[in-house]
Amino acid sequence: MQVRLADRLTDLAIAAFLWAFRLSVVAIVVVGSFLTLTSGKYNVDTWTGLVITGLATGSVYALVALGYTMVYGILRMINFAHGEVFMVGGFAGYFAAVGLSSLGVLNAGPLASLLSILVMMVVAGAFSTLIALLVERVAYRPLRNAPRLIPLISAIGASFFLQYSVKGWAGPGVYAYPDVGVLNELVPIDFVRIQWKQVLVVTAALVMMAGLYVFVMRTKIGTAIRAVSEDKATAALMGIDVNRAIVTTFAVGAAMAGAAGVLFALMFRQINFFSGFEPGLKAFTAAVLGGIGNVPGAMLGGLFLGQVEAVGPTLFLDGLGVPGASGLAKAIAFTMLVLILVFRPSGLLGERISGQRA
Amino acid sequence: MKLRKLGAIAAIGAIAFAGCTTGPAGFTPPADELGVITVGPNDPVHLAYWGVLSGGDASLGQDSLYGAQVAVDDKGGKILDHNINLTSEDAQCTVDGGAAAGAKLAADNTIVALIGSACSDETVGGIKAISDAGLTTVSPSATRPALTAPDRAADYAGFTRTAHSDAFQGQAVAEFVFNELKLTKAATIHDGSAYAEALQQVFADEFTALGGEIVIQEQVGKDTTDMTPVLTRVAGAGPEVVYFPIFVQAGGYIAAQAKDVPGLANAALIGSDGMFTPDFVEAAGPAAEGMYLSSPNFSAFQAGYADFLPKYEAKAGSAPLSAFHAHSYDAFNIIYAAIEKVAVKGSDGTLYIGKKALRDAIYATKDLQGLTGVLSCSASGDCGAPLIALYQITAREVGGEWPPEAPVWPTE
């Protein structure tokens, strides 16, 4: 009797704490936003500027997040080396960019620039795919039937291996993408201030995500991937080549990460051997936010995280008079993650790639 | 060269031995409350450099390592007939990296003295282990004011520096902005590091004291890439000048993105010595043109600097990578002079170096002729000559030339 009472009290205390946590976060968000918006310190242009920035960054997170979520969907493992696949794509794109720049085509008019960027993205995507397939072959496939923690550790090892291989080969310093002049110009429309590079990043990301959706939902190999992710053994019995489905999943995820590496570098210029870590972590967060294993969820999670990071510090904290609010962008982003997982443990759109799972 | 050495020895000769009880007489090894390092007759004297050697800020640490290596070469690679073995330890410009490097160096009982760290954060993380091991370090570039504050904690007993304190650097930048640029509304951005946080605060205090206004003090993460949100907030406060004394990577992102933020297109951008490197110009790109950077005043360096530069370039294969190579050269020479002063040589050539005696001798450095100025250490470890200048990045530097030719302030 007494034990039961103690248990119930503990449960109550935990529930009370969780509610207090939810309520305090909601209170901070509501009060902070209200105070910020009524202070009149920022005008509409500021907010649209922040939203556009968040959209561009969020699209890149979404592209990388897709790789995490697809691999999780099919193998139930977190491919921690995916951030490094993104980084090597950035490097491959860099060398393509330097080559194109020295040939004089990178800045030879808008069309030449656009085609050059396309070439850079293809080169980066191809190289990233190559690296990801090597990692899959060497570090994951031999462990496919091992307990779930084992490939996770192997993935962390692969991540460090790639980071420090690039460091050994390219050095620890910073590489800066050559400038593509036209990307820094403003789009000539009146009502909103937006740069061509932001248009490019968002458009490219949307096109790739749409392409992926069609690929997964409408093609034969996409159907095979979905079948394998539901039940590997049954899919194999139905005559589906499981290895081929898994390798394709890695390849598609890596190609998008590589292209995203180029988009990211076009926005922010610099890359170095460590520059895959942070975006990789954010993209993983985005995948969890959206519901890991869920393809539209990863897209939504990425865009959502981009917005929270860009708009959050100013919207929530400025009105409360918090000093150095931007330094708390990460704290806000991860508080949101905790909050969403508290309310919806399976993420925004739920944790599955398709249908019922055994 | 010879004159300088003679002067140094004469200066040292004027100072009484401290803590060394036995005197330089033959076979009795000296006693020392922090322990005695014994260097066998055929062993080298082991000195270690610690500072950032990897990541976006590698140039800061690498630059100082080259400076120390040139100093070793200038002594013929020898001290008291022993070879000098200068090793290096990467401390990554973080508190954690500093702690790891400090623990590793403290555990190595062959090390006689240290040059470093490069970043203030590294010292914050590593100095306790180093001081506790009885070692003394001379830092060429850790500039946080508190590191040599008279009331600093006992953990800092082993910390001295040839670098300036940012108490001077922050003041110089404030004076430049207020008196020379004649701007009155400033914003600051720091990255949470011990260096940047303190430096922007010194600037803010001095700038306010001069009559200026600090409209916003913001913070970014060291690994933040998208600076538009923070810059938008900064722009909302309406500054005429944005001071961000941080490091290469985040500083490069800020400089590259600032001009695209409405409201900051005409604001003056200022950084400090942590970004005084061609890597920063590479990272920021054409957007860096017109920006100001504060740094040690190279024009005020001593005549020996002109002889030093070709040797550095021969070693590094390039112009100086950062701003503190000469401070590192001087740091080595402080240690060199102190070892010469306190080491006791046995008849077989074995060197006995008392740790406390060595530490006291470093602190007792007085009127040592260095490249950066005439060096005298204070009781709390400040040995440098704090002369700050502001340089402007022009099309020449963006085009790949380095360093900037002459300071824009002070001019005379």
Side-chain angles (χ1 to χ4, degrees):
Chain A
M1 201 57 199
Q2 271 190 336
V3 175
R4 248 191 240 160
L5 188 66
D7 276 357
R8 285 195 58 184
L9 280 176
T10 319
D11 286 352
L12 262 174
I14 291 173
F17 172 77
L18 281 179
W19 273 107
F21 174 72
R22 292 172 207 186
L23 285 177
S24 56
V25 172
V26 171
I28 288 173
V29 166
V30 171
V31 175
S33 306
F34 178 76
L35 288 173
T36 307
L37 292 174
T38 49
S39 74
K41 221 162 118 186
Y42 302 101
N43 57 20
V44 180
D45 290 346
T46 310
W47 294 115
T48 46
L50 288 176
V51 168
I52 289 168
T53 313
L55 197 61
T57 322
S59 319
V60 175
Y61 290 160
L63 283 178
V64 183
L66 286 168
Y68 279 104
T69 223
M70 286 174 63
V71 168
Y72 182 85
I74 202 159
L75 285 179
R76 305 283 179 273
M77 71 164 278
I78 307 295
N79 177 14
F80 264 112
H82 196 57
E84 272 52 61
V85 169
F86 164 86
M87 177 268 295
V88 296
F91 268 91
Y94 168 80
F95 289 107
V98 169
L100 291 165
S101 173
S102 64
L103 289 174
V105 288
L106 189 60
N107 276 310
L111 188 65
S113 292
L114 190 63
L115 289 175
S116 304
I117 290 166
L118 209 59
V119 170
M120 282 150 62
M121 286 170 65
V122 169
V123 169
F127 190 68
S128 287
T129 303
L130 180 74
I131 296 293
L133 294 186
L134 279 174
V135 168
E136 195 272 334
R137 186 69 195 82
V138 174
Y140 303 154
R141 198 179 297 180
L143 303 171
R144 200 171 287 163
N145 296 315
R148 284 176 69 170
L149 271 180
I150 308 292
L152 181 73
I153 301 299
S154 182
I156 293 172
S159 167
F160 280 118
F161 176 81
L162 289 175
Q163 260 178 33
Y164 285 88
S165 300
V166 171
K167 183 187 169 190
W169 162 72
V174 166
Y175 288 73
Y177 264 53
D179 267 304
V180 186
V182 62
L183 289 183
N184 291 324
E185 287 168 22
L186 291 176
V187 180
I189 43 178
D190 285 339
F191 55 93
V192 63
R193 184 192 153 89
I194 180 166
Q195 286 175 302
W196 280 113
K197 62 181 166 194
Q198 292 163 328
V199 175
L200 171 87
V201 169
V202 175
T203 317
L206 289 177
V207 167
M208 276 192 277
M209 288 191 277
L212 177 84
Y213 196 75
V214 172
F215 174 79
V216 172
M217 301 311 281
R218 295 270 184 274
T219 64
K220 209 170 161 190
I221 180 77
T223 313
I225 288 175
R226 281 184 291 138
V228 172
S229 74
E230 267 181 43
D231 190 332
K232 245 185 273 179
T234 314
L237 288 173
M238 298 292 166
I240 290 171
D241 185 342
V242 172
N243 256 336
R244 189 158 160 251
I246 291 173
V247 166
T248 310
T249 306
F250 271 92
V252 171
M256 284 193 304
V262 171
L263 295 176
F264 201 68
L266 285 172
M267 274 198 298
F268 301 123
R269 279 183 67 85
Q270 306 174 46
I271 51 168
N272 67 21
F273 76 98
F274 202 59
S275 58
F277 179 76
E278 173 103 5
L281 197 64
K282 296 277 175 62
F284 172 58
T285 309
V288 174
L289 255 173
I292 187 129
N294 185 317
V295 169
M299 301 179 191
L300 187 68
L303 294 174
F304 181 79
L305 190 65
Q307 289 305 331
V308 169
E309 278 193 340
V311 182
T314 307
L315 182 63
F316 304 152
L317 299 183
D318 196 88
L320 299 174
V322 177
S326 298
L328 297 170
K330 251 189 265 182
I332 293 178
F334 285 96
T335 308
M336 282 292 150
L337 174 73
V338 172
L339 197 69
I340 283 178
L341 294 182
V342 166
F343 278 118
R344 278 189 68 86
S346 57
L348 287 173
L349 296 190
E351 176 191 331
R352 60 198 44 176
I353 193 160
S354 67
Q356 286 298 107
R357 198 190 309 148
Chain B
M1 199 66 234
K2 199 163 182 186
L3 266 179
R4 189 189 313 150
K5 194 173 164 187
L6 278 178
I9 292 168
I12 288 154
I15 303 158
F17 273 35
C20 195
T21 47
T22 53
F27 299 93
T28 1
D32 190 287
E33 59 184 277
L34 293 175
V36 176
I37 303 151
T38 310
V39 183
N42 299 312
D43 293 342
V45 170
H46 183 183
L47 303 176
Y49 170 84
W50 60 304
V52 55
L53 294 171
S54 65
D57 303 307
S59 53
L60 174 66
Q62 190 64 50
D63 176 64
S64 291
L65 181 56
Y66 285 138
Q69 286 169 345
V70 171
V72 173
D73 291 350
D74 275 359
K75 299 291 186 191
K78 284 191 178 293
I79 181 165
L80 301 168
D81 302 322
H82 286 252
N83 287 328
I84 298 170
N85 177 25
L86 177 66
T87 60
S88 63
E89 193 65 44
D90 184 6
Q92 299 169 2
C93 204
T94 61
V95 176
D96 291 348
K104 198 170 162 197
L105 295 165
D108 185 341
N109 58 17
T110 66
I111 292 175
V112 176
L114 301 163
I115 300 169
S117 65
C119 299
S120 298
D121 270 342
E122 296 167 344
T123 291
V124 170
I127 195 62
K128 183 174 187 334
I130 286 167
S131 294
D132 287 353
L135 291 167
T136 307
T137 190
V138 186
S139 170
S141 63
T143 52
R144 180 178 168 89
L147 301 180
T148 54
D151 59 348
R152 63 185 181 169
D155 295 345
Y156 285 83
F159 181 83
T160 64
R161 64 178 163 205
T162 51
H164 54 255
S165 162
D166 281 337
F168 298 99
Q169 183 162 233
Q171 183 185 7
V173 175
E175 284 173 6
F176 170 70
V177 173
F178 194 81
N179 296 333
E180 181 75 17
L181 298 180
K182 306 212 183 301
L183 302 176
T184 55
K185 291 162 103 178
T188 67
I189 304 175
H190 71 88
D191 62 0
S193 66
Y195 158 73
E197 189 274 325
L199 179 48
Q200 61 87 29
Q201 193 57 51
V202 172
F203 168 81
D205 294 344
E206 297 286 345
F207 193 65
T208 313
L210 286 169
E213 183 194 355
I214 299 293
V215 292
I216 189 170
Q217 286 174 290
E218 260 295 356
Q219 184 182 355
V220 295
K222 261 189 130 175
D223 42 15
T224 307
T225 42
D226 190 353
M227 298 295 181
T228 314
V230 64
L231 290 170
T232 304
R233 288 173 46 74
V234 168
E240 297 164 329
V241 51
V242 182
Y243 182 44
F244 50 109
I246 53 177
F247 291 101
V248 171
Q249 195 174 327
Y253 286 131
I254 288 183
Q257 293 167 35
K259 297 292 177 196
D260 292 335
V261 173
L264 291 183
N266 298 316
L269 303 180
I270 306 183
S272 274
D273 46 13
M275 305 191 308
F276 194 86
T277 155
D279 281 7
F280 168 71
V281 181
E282 165 89 6
E289 190 176 337
M291 212 185 132
Y292 300 98
L293 293 174
S294 68
S295 116
N297 188 351
F298 298 99
S299 305
F301 280 5
Q302 307 292 303
Y305 188 57
D307 300 333
F308 165 88
L309 278 175
K311 290 183 259 183
Y312 177 102
E313 280 164 24
K315 187 160 282 290
S318 70
L321 299 169
S322 187
F324 294 101
H325 40 274
H327 294 80
S328 184
Y329 185 98
D330 287 352
F332 171 82
N333 281 305
I334 286 178
I335 293 169
Y336 185 91
I339 294 175
E340 273 198 327
K341 190 174 118 184
V342 302
V344 180
K345 205 167 189 177
S347 58
D348 62 348
T350 303
L351 285 186
Y352 302 96
I353 303 167
K355 290 179 175 176
K356 178 78 165 69
L358 181 63
R359 182 178 287 177
D360 289 344
I362 288 173
Y363 274 92
T365 300
K366 195 163 190 318
D367 298 333
L368 180 68
Q369 182 66 45
L371 295 183
T372 59
V374 179
L375 308 165
S376 298
C377 296
S378 74
S380 56
D382 258 324
C383 306
L387 295 165
I388 307 295
L390 278 109
Y391 292 82
Q392 187 168 28
I393 295 176
T394 63
R396 173 181 170 275
E397 286 77 39
V398 173
E401 296 286 318
W402 192 263
E405 275 167 325
V408 291
W409 185 89
T411 49
E412 26 81 54

